[in-house]
Amino acid sequence: MRVPLSWLREYVDLPAGETGRDVAAKLVDAGLEVETVEQLGGGLKGPLVVGQVLTIEELEGFRKPIRFCTVDVGSANGTGEPQEIVCGARNFSVGDKVVVVLPGAVLPGDFAIASRKTYGRTSHGMICSGDELGMGDDGTHGIIVLPHEHEVGSDAIKLLELVDEVLDIDITPDRGYCMSLRGVAREAATAYGLPLRDPALLDVPAPNSYGYAVKIDDPQGCDRFTARTVTGLDPEARSPIWLTRRLQKAGMRPISLAVDITNYVMLELGQPLHAYDRSRIDGAIGVRRAEQGEKFTTLDGVKRTLDSEDLVITDNSGPIGLAGVMGGANTEIADSVIDPETGAVTGTTDVVVEAAHFDAVSISRTARRLKLSSEASKRFERGVDPQAAAAAAQRTVDLLVLLAGGTAEAGVTELTAPGAPRTIAMSADHPDKVAGMDYGRETVVRRLQEVGCDVYGQDELVVTVPSWRPDLAEPNDLAEEVIRLEGYGNLPSTLPQVPSGRGLTARQQLHRRVGRALAGAGYVEVLSYPFLGEGVFDQLQLSAHDASRQVVKLVNPISDEEPALRTTLLPGLLGALRRNDSRGSHDLALFETGSVFRAAAQPGVAVRLGVGRRPTDEEIATLNAALPAQPRYAAVVLAGAREQAGWWGKGRPADWADAVEAARSLAVEAGAELVVRQGQYGPWHPGRCAELLVVLDGVETVIGHAGELHPRVVKAMGLPARTSAMELDLDRLAAAGGEALQAPRISSFPVATQDVALIVDASVPASAVEDALRKGAGELLESLRLFDVFEGEQVGEGKKSLAYALRFRATDRTLTAEESTAARDAAVALAGERTGAVLRGA
């Protein structure tokens, strides 16, 4: 909403020295968002005067039409002689009054005016257009042609109100009343503690039975409709300069007198209006819902297909307007036309003025569905004062009579649906409790009255909300009004008191530890959208019956290409890796933790609940039961170099072992024992895929996979070669962990190291051998590490040699050689029993 300061001063007697920035600061303190304060006419310097064109000579021989004019500027040029000016515009004639800038003047943009020779003549100044003076679009895109009554040589800067300040205010949805000068003036009056001259306080005649016939078929969609008729309008009447300038400053383009007046009153009072050419209306005006598929051509010339929820204004011929959005082309105010033979001027002479109040939700849906946002719809969406309709219609009639020479008919139509003022019960100290400071009853009552409320009661207040504030619906809304008018800057800064025993849950703590561990290992966290398209499952080579293909689809997805909720983190992570690799970052290690969504075997149906009460526990349980399972997963992806080359070494590329190590580090953070064995699943290379397992309720459960991605997956998704990935179920990993992490016990006694090399079948997983060694060695085993794998003729065909380093240590003594050897032999014996392992060289 653009608010000219000169216009605002008509309703509030602001201090004479207050600048636009001063007023903006006050309004910001009151809770309005003033984006900018625009200085109109900044740097403008006269002489800029009214001139009358005396002669026009058409200059030949140039690519574009050029005219050499003499203009009477009175005594403004110091000589009284006609001013010679070269001009290329053609929308003025001899005898027209125009705006002339003389040598020595400076126009906006630091454009100095001087006499100069051009097109073979000397031009002493300029004949100005609106754009050159910074006035904005006047619809002509040409020279300003003034009404004949203005005196030659008079100051055009004052006449055109070129110097002003305009406040550009961003109106939030709950402050719709401020989309008018009336609303902003009310806020300014309150901020300065000054009285408001309410432009809506007009003498309005009572409705009678001989006004224009109106029928409302949908009182819920239209609860108030006022119609007034003005006849005998002068088709030649033009909008006066003060009216067009106010519209331009407010960001609107002047069109015609009748339309300009309705726009002006809308800006002034916040009530959208529409003027119909009475001669084009067929019978009574009606308000109803559109028929499904009904056609209608709006003022912009577009033929639109309507929906059954759209509210339309009709006559006997059908729709003549989209209620609260835009009028129809079939009843548009006709432009004045001059008959070339007789010179007679024809145009609209009789109009019917509509001032109605429509349902905000209905107007919003229509405007959004048709992508037809208008100044009227913006106001109705945010809430329009229903009590202002009659005053707005009267103000429009008065201006049409005054400026267009019309006659107001005595008939007044005003249809209203039954209704009562809204009241809110609130304790007098409620704002004190919300703000955390003591305002007192007197301050609360005074501030609410400044807003426009009627307040009754002592400790318990009964507040009647003004008609222009539909956003005030409950005690907290009233408390907010008191707090903002008293000043948000006056609120004390108080840190919240956290009750003892509260803090992060175990799940949240694990999530934080996991993030820190991966970040510490060199991974960068990414956050991807939780949506995917089902085609990605084919790229990942998942089988047709894979559980990940059972997705939950959204009714209104952000993108039709990704309508499903994710069942795996990999598509988003791999997309981020591909995007960064394509932009030159080739050494990548990314991770993400987040929820995936698993569809239930029997999808539940959520019950649509009302908003008039809190749902019961049973209803909340029903809603929760309808939701899909949402386990939390963790995933990593790697490509390029894992260790950079330099003076310290050759470096190395990221590979499947890094992905497995990431899974092990998460298991450490969860305090769980992770089993890693060879596996085969979807996107991973069958020979370089590790299956990740934990023991839950005594049963080994697969919780994820890690390793190098299959080459076909890499190609299908456009990934770097040898990309590796890991993904696991973080919730199941946490369930396999202990209640709390146990710090390791450090023994001060020396360690005893025993190495063993075991020969097993090539198909036996190293993890199975390791598990047997660990259990066979007993409590004395401190650590176990695989340091060599060998396959060759020396160990036999179909065999492999696994060499392990076993570290033994006791907490209370130095182990003897016999004790460490006995523990090693027990480990080897159990490995032989479980996996068929034999000592190499035995």
Side-chain angles (χ1 to χ4, degrees):
M1 178 69 189
R2 290 172 57 85
V3 179
L5 191 60
S6 59
W7 194 355
L8 185 64
R9 288 183 183 275
E10 284 200 3
Y11 312 119
V12 185
D13 290 326
L14 299 173
E18 288 292 279
T19 66
R21 294 192 178 278
D22 296 332
V23 176
K26 285 283 190 179
L27 294 178
V28 168
D29 287 342
L32 290 181
E33 298 180 12
V34 181
E35 296 286 339
T36 59
V37 178
E38 184 179 349
Q39 303 286 334
L40 299 184
L44 177 63
K45 177 184 175 183
L48 188 73
V49 299
V50 176
Q52 184 170 25
V53 180
L54 300 177
T55 65
I56 297 178
E57 178 187 351
E58 301 289 345
L59 301 183
E60 305 293 338
F62 301 103
R63 289 193 214 175
K64 61 180 182 179
I66 299 297
R67 312 168 95 186
F68 181 68
C69 310
T70 59
V71 185
D72 180 11
V73 294
S75 60
N77 59 3
T79 66
E81 297 295 325
Q83 200 79 3
E84 296 179 341
I85 299 174
V86 175
C87 183
R90 309 191 63 80
N91 68 312
F92 64 96
S93 306
V94 172
D96 284 344
K97 297 284 182 71
V98 293
V99 178
V100 179
V101 57
L102 301 177
V106 179
L107 295 184
D110 198 25
F111 181 35
I113 303 299
S115 297
R116 66 189 182 95
K117 190 170 183 178
T118 179
Y119 296 103
R121 303 294 179 95
T122 301
S123 181
H124 302 280
M126 284 174 52
I127 301 176
C128 297
S129 68
D131 289 337
E132 289 165 338
L133 298 179
M135 294 172 57
D137 182 15
D138 62 357
T140 65
H141 301 289
I143 294 302
I144 301 170
V145 179
L146 300 171
H148 287 283
E149 63 265 22
H150 297 292
E151 182 181 354
V152 170
S154 59
D155 185 6
I157 295 178
K158 183 177 180 181
L159 174 65
L160 299 178
E161 301 177 13
L162 296 179
V163 179
D164 202 350
E165 293 181 276
V166 178
L167 282 65
D168 192 351
I169 305 175
D170 184 15
I171 306 299
T172 54
D174 62 329
R175 307 290 287 278
Y177 67 98
C178 284
M179 293 196 74
S180 66
L181 267 294
R182 180 194 185 201
V184 176
R186 185 181 299 280
E187 292 297 319
T190 302
Y192 280 94
L194 297 171
L196 169 71
R197 288 188 291 275
D198 191 344
L201 295 180
L202 301 174
D203 291 330
V204 179
N208 49 54
S209 60
Y210 43 94
Y212 200 92
V214 176
K215 181 183 178 183
I216 299 177
D217 293 332
D218 191 339
Q220 280 192 330
C222 176
D223 58 5
R224 184 178 294 267
F225 196 107
T226 299
R228 301 288 299 276
T229 304
V230 182
T231 60
L233 301 180
D234 180 5
E236 293 186 273
R238 296 172 55 188
S239 299
I241 291 175
W242 66 266
L243 177 58
T244 60
R245 287 299 293 134
R246 286 190 172 180
L247 291 177
Q248 287 175 324
K249 291 176 185 178
M252 301 189 75
R253 180 172 63 87
I255 299 173
S256 65
L257 178 57
V259 176
D260 291 349
I261 288 174
T262 58
N263 286 337
Y264 177 83
V265 175
M266 178 185 67
L267 292 172
E268 184 178 50
L269 302 181
Q271 168 68 51
L273 301 110
H274 191 72
Y276 301 94
D277 187 330
R278 184 177 180 178
S279 65
R280 297 185 176 187
I281 302 177
D282 180 11
I285 292 176
V287 183
R288 63 168 171 83
R289 297 288 175 176
E291 298 175 4
Q292 186 66 37
E294 192 170 13
K295 305 294 184 181
F296 173 63
T297 302
T298 47
L299 279 173
D300 55 3
V302 178
K303 191 172 185 179
R304 304 181 186 276
T305 303
L306 304 182
D307 187 85
S308 58
E309 289 190 358
D310 297 333
L311 201 63
V312 292
I313 311 297
T314 65
D315 64 4
N316 293 339
S317 66
I320 60 174
L322 264 179
V325 180
M326 186 175 286
N330 51 349
T331 56
E332 181 180 9
I333 300 295
D335 295 330
S336 59
V337 178
I338 301 176
D339 190 314
E341 295 182 358
T342 64
V345 179
T346 59
T348 298
T349 58
D350 301 337
V351 298
V352 176
V353 177
E354 165 209 310
H357 184 261
F358 301 111
D359 175 59
V361 174
S362 176
I363 302 305
S364 177
R365 286 176 177 171
T366 296
R368 280 163 172 72
R369 188 181 62 79
L370 296 176
K371 296 181 175 60
L372 190 61
S373 180
S374 64
E375 292 294 331
S377 68
K378 290 176 185 177
R379 285 164 173 80
F380 279 120
E381 288 172 0
R382 290 164 172 79
V384 169
D385 181 7
Q387 302 294 333
Q394 182 62 46
R395 177 73 164 139
T396 304
V397 169
D398 292 343
L399 289 173
L400 286 171
V401 171
L402 175 67
L403 302 177
T407 301
E409 289 192 351
V412 177
T413 301
E414 187 170 355
L415 303 181
T416 58
R422 288 176 296 111
T423 60
I424 302 172
M426 180 186 74
S427 61
D429 62 350
H430 181 69
D432 301 359
K433 296 176 181 178
V434 173
M437 61 185 301
D438 185 15
Y439 291 122
R441 179 188 178 281
E442 182 180 345
T443 299
V444 170
V445 172
R446 174 172 56 84
R447 288 303 190 183
L448 292 178
Q449 288 174 340
E450 289 175 351
V451 170
C453 299
D454 292 329
V455 186
Y456 304 95
Q458 293 298 319
D459 294 338
E460 292 294 327
L461 303 179
V462 178
V463 182
T464 302
V465 176
S467 58
W468 59 83
R469 293 300 302 271
D471 59 303
L472 302 181
E474 59 179 40
N476 283 340
D477 297 328
L478 300 178
E480 182 182 4
E481 292 300 298
V482 174
I483 294 168
R484 76 174 180 87
L485 293 179
E486 284 294 304
Y488 290 119
N490 296 325
L491 293 176
S493 299
T494 307
L495 291 175
Q497 299 293 323
V498 181
S500 60
R502 300 287 179 88
L504 298 178
T505 64
R507 191 170 187 256
Q508 291 169 332
Q509 290 175 345
L510 175 60
H511 183 210
R512 182 168 293 183
R513 291 200 307 271
V514 164
R516 288 174 175 170
L518 292 174
Y523 291 86
V524 177
E525 184 174 17
V526 300
L527 297 174
S528 56
Y529 284 112
F531 313 113
L532 51 77
E534 293 181 84
V536 75
F537 298 130
D538 295 330
Q539 293 179 325
L540 292 176
Q541 297 194 22
L542 298 184
S543 67
H545 303 292
D546 194 285
S548 293
R549 288 183 177 268
Q550 306 302 314
V551 296
V552 178
K553 292 186 178 180
L554 301 175
V555 175
N556 55 340
I558 295 176
S559 169
D560 292 335
E561 295 180 357
E562 296 181 330
L565 292 172
R566 67 187 179 191
T567 54
T568 169
L569 301 181
L570 289 181
L573 264 179
L574 293 174
L577 184 138
R578 178 179 62 249
R579 185 164 52 253
N580 283 275
D581 179 72
S582 67
R583 296 176 182 177
S585 298
H586 304 302
D587 302 325
L588 296 162
L590 310 177
F591 84 93
E592 181 174 10
T593 58
S595 297
V596 299
F597 304 85
R598 298 290 186 181
Q602 297 293 330
V605 178
V607 180
R608 188 184 295 272
L609 302 177
V611 296
R613 60 176 177 81
R614 182 189 182 278
T616 65
D617 293 342
E618 291 76 12
E619 289 172 333
I620 294 175
T622 302
L623 287 176
N624 289 334
L627 296 176
Q630 301 174 48
R632 184 174 292 275
Y633 273 39
V636 305
V637 293
L638 306 99
R642 184 62 175 143
E643 295 178 4
Q644 295 291 335
W647 57 264
W648 51 86
K650 295 181 179 180
R652 69 174 183 83
D655 60 17
W656 62 268
D658 295 300
V660 174
E661 184 58 31
R664 293 186 188 277
S665 66
L666 300 192
V668 171
E669 296 299 329
E673 184 176 343
L674 186 69
V675 178
V676 180
R677 63 169 62 121
Q678 186 174 0
Q680 184 172 344
Y681 179 68
W684 280 277
H685 191 296
R688 297 168 189 154
C689 174
E691 194 175 60
L692 310 176
L693 306 95
V694 293
V695 177
L696 290 173
D697 300 325
V699 178
E700 283 190 348
T701 304
V702 177
I703 64 168
H705 295 83
E708 182 181 315
L709 295 181
H710 197 289
R712 286 199 290 267
V713 174
V714 169
K715 181 179 180 180
M717 302 191 75
L719 302 173
R722 311 298 293 269
T723 297
S724 298
M726 179 278 295
E727 183 177 37
L728 57 76
D729 187 331
L730 203 54
D731 286 343
R732 288 189 176 184
L733 183 66
E739 290 291 329
L741 292 177
Q742 297 294 324
R745 292 183 296 174
I746 305 299
S747 173
S748 59
F749 292 95
V751 65
T753 301
Q754 296 273 2
D755 293 343
V756 295
L758 304 175
I759 297 176
V760 296
D761 291 339
S763 60
V764 176
S767 59
V769 178
E770 180 180 326
D771 183 60
L773 290 173
R774 192 180 301 279
K775 291 182 178 178
E779 295 182 355
L780 294 179
L781 181 67
E782 182 180 77
S783 67
L784 174 67
R785 179 174 63 88
L786 175 66
F787 66 87
D788 183 58
V789 178
F790 175 76
E791 295 182 9
E793 295 180 0
Q794 294 89 332
V795 297
E797 185 178 354
K799 301 289 185 178
K800 62 182 176 183
S801 171
L802 304 176
Y804 292 90
L806 291 78
R807 290 168 58 92
F808 298 97
R809 191 183 335 236
T811 59
D812 57 350
R813 68 188 187 281
T814 299
L815 292 177
T816 64
E818 291 77 11
E819 288 177 306
S820 61
T821 300
R824 182 204 63 183
D825 293 343
V828 171
L830 187 59
E833 179 182 335
R834 291 189 174 183
T835 66
V838 297
L839 279 173
R840 184 175 176 179

